[in-house]
Amino acid sequence: MGRSTAVLAVGAVGAALAVLCGCTVQASGDDRHSPVRIELPSGTPSAKSAPPDDGAGDNDDGHDDGNDDKPGATPTTAPVTPAAVLWSRGDEGRDVRELQARLRQIAWLFDGPTGTYDDLTEQAVRGFQGKRGLPRTGKTDEVTWQRLVKMTREPGKWDLYLMGGQPADAPDARCLTGRVLCISKSSRTLRWMIDGRTVLTVPVRFGSQYTPTREGVFSVYWKSRHHVSTLYDSPMPYAMFFSGGQAVHYSSDFAATGYAGASHGCVNVRDERAISEMFAQVRTGDKVVVHW
């Protein structure tokens, strides 16, 4: 076969490929050679294309360990390091409160926050992990925490203490003498105090902006163990009235929903045992201080 015949044969092969592929590759600029390259088999094998260097064949000092292309060599696999556990069952503190508050935001937890990593918290974490393909350990590790943070907003103070448990602030100076129900709107707490000594502290909530709890110095003028509001037709057990229709009393709604609700001006207590004890000790005429 002559040179011209060979050229025609190669051209025919190229034309056939173009028809089969259904498209034409155009050369750009001055490059007149087609980017489609056809290599015919030869007696010499082509060099193997090297994969990108990802460091898999390197030792810790950066040197190649020579295992990549040796027949029969066992590939080295870096051990998987478990994510560090941040909190688990039995842990307590502000960080656990934040974990619980974030789980509440996405409906994995409905109680609390309590600040204690209990069985309900463990179950909520396990469910959250399983839903996202993470190991269902029930322990909050770094990976679980970062996934949760990305899905939620930073909780505010009253998200963290939705059901109470916040530390009480210092008592008002007017509370340091005598028998006093010392009520702080700043920390949402009530201290039952006698001669400057705190006998009992409980979380409380107040009226809404439309029915605010009055501030100032008052005194208990009436106690009613099984009182029912004639204005709102709602139970007010262990009521200790101090200003008109406003009283310190137990609230089952506060016990159920926390600071998600509000009173009609009264000082609500959610701990029935504690207010029962307080009701038994407080006398008519004892001072009531409501302050910021």
Side-chain angles (χ1 to χ4, degrees), residues 70-135:
K70 288 183 179 179
T74 302
T76 56
T77 303
V80 177
T81 303
V85 174
L86 303 177
W87 312 288
S88 59
R89 190 167 181 172
D91 288 341
E92 298 181 343
R94 192 266 181 202
D95 290 338
V96 175
R97 281 188 181 276
E98 182 174 347
L99 167 69
Q100 293 169 329
R102 289 182 183 271
L103 288 169
R104 281 181 61 90
Q105 290 179 28
I106 54 177
W108 276 106
L109 187 66
F110 298 96
D111 289 2
T114 63
T116 300
Y117 205 116
D118 53 13
D119 57 336
L120 294 177
T121 305
E122 186 177 63
Q123 291 173 21
V125 171
R126 186 179 293 113
F128 176 83
Q129 291 169 328
K131 184 74 173 180
R132 280 142 194 90
L134 302 174

Side-chain angles (χ1 to χ4, degrees), residues 48-65:
K48 186 173 74 172
S49 300
D53 184 10
D54 59 359
D58 292 346
N59 291 319
D60 293 340
D61 60 1
H63 297 295
D64 186 85
D65 58 12

Side-chain angles (χ1 to χ4, degrees), residues 7-76:
V7 170
L8 289 174
V10 172
V13 172
L17 286 173
V19 171
L20 292 174
C21 295
C23 63
T24 303
V25 181
Q26 300 291 335
S28 60
D30 294 334
D31 187 1
R32 295 180 174 83
H33 298 286
S34 168
V36 178
R37 182 180 177 184
I38 301 174
E39 291 188 0
L40 299 177
S42 65
T44 305
S46 59
K48 186 173 74 172
S49 300
D53 184 10
D54 59 359
D58 292 346
N59 291 319
D60 293 340
D61 60 1
H63 297 295
D64 186 85
D65 58 12
N67 287 334
D68 286 352
D69 296 320
K70 288 183 179 179
T74 302
T76 56

Side-chain angles (χ1 to χ4, degrees), residues 15 96 111 129 150 153 164 173 186 189 206 208 223 243-244 286 292:
V96 175
D111 289 2
Q129 291 169 328
K150 289 179 180 178
R153 60 173 174 79
S186 297
T189 54
F206 307 99
S208 67
K223 294 173 61 181
S243 177
D286 285 348
W292 281 100

Side-chain angles (χ1 to χ4, degrees), residues 129-268:
Q129 291 169 328
K131 184 74 173 180
R132 280 142 194 90
L134 302 174
R136 293 169 53 91
T137 64
K139 300 176 181 180
T140 303
D141 55 37
E142 185 66 37
V143 174
T144 301
W145 175 244
Q146 291 303 325
R147 182 71 63 86
L148 180 61
V149 167
K150 289 179 180 178
M151 296 178 61
T152 54
R153 60 173 174 79
E154 183 173 359
K157 179 178 180 180
W158 300 117
D159 294 320
L160 296 174
Y161 295 100
L162 181 67
M163 306 306 290
Q166 67 277 8
D169 56 6
D172 186 276
R174 296 168 291 181
C175 301
L176 298 179
T177 57
R179 299 165 58 86
V180 191
L181 291 172
C182 190
I183 302 166
S184 169
K185 285 189 170 183
S186 297
S187 63
R188 298 185 182 182
T189 54
L190 181 157
R191 291 175 182 260
W192 164 230
M193 303 181 68
I194 300 177
D195 296 330
R197 178 177 62 88
T198 299
V199 178
L200 189 64
T201 302
V202 293
V204 293
R205 74 176 183 182
F206 307 99
S208 67
Q209 60 177 326
Y210 304 107
T211 56
T213 303
R214 289 183 280 274
E215 299 151 25
V217 180
F218 313 92
S219 62
V220 176
Y221 71 86
W222 181 35
K223 294 173 61 181
S224 179
R225 167 65 182 83
H226 300 287
H227 193 79
V228 176
S229 170
T230 56
L231 183 60
Y232 300 106
D233 192 29
S234 58
M236 299 169 56
Y238 304 101
M240 294 173 278
F241 288 89
F242 62 88
S243 177
Q246 296 190 354
V248 175
H249 68 84
Y250 171 73
S251 168
S252 58
D253 181 70
F254 183 26
T257 64
Y259 293 113
S263 75
H264 293 104
C266 289
V267 178
N268 290 164

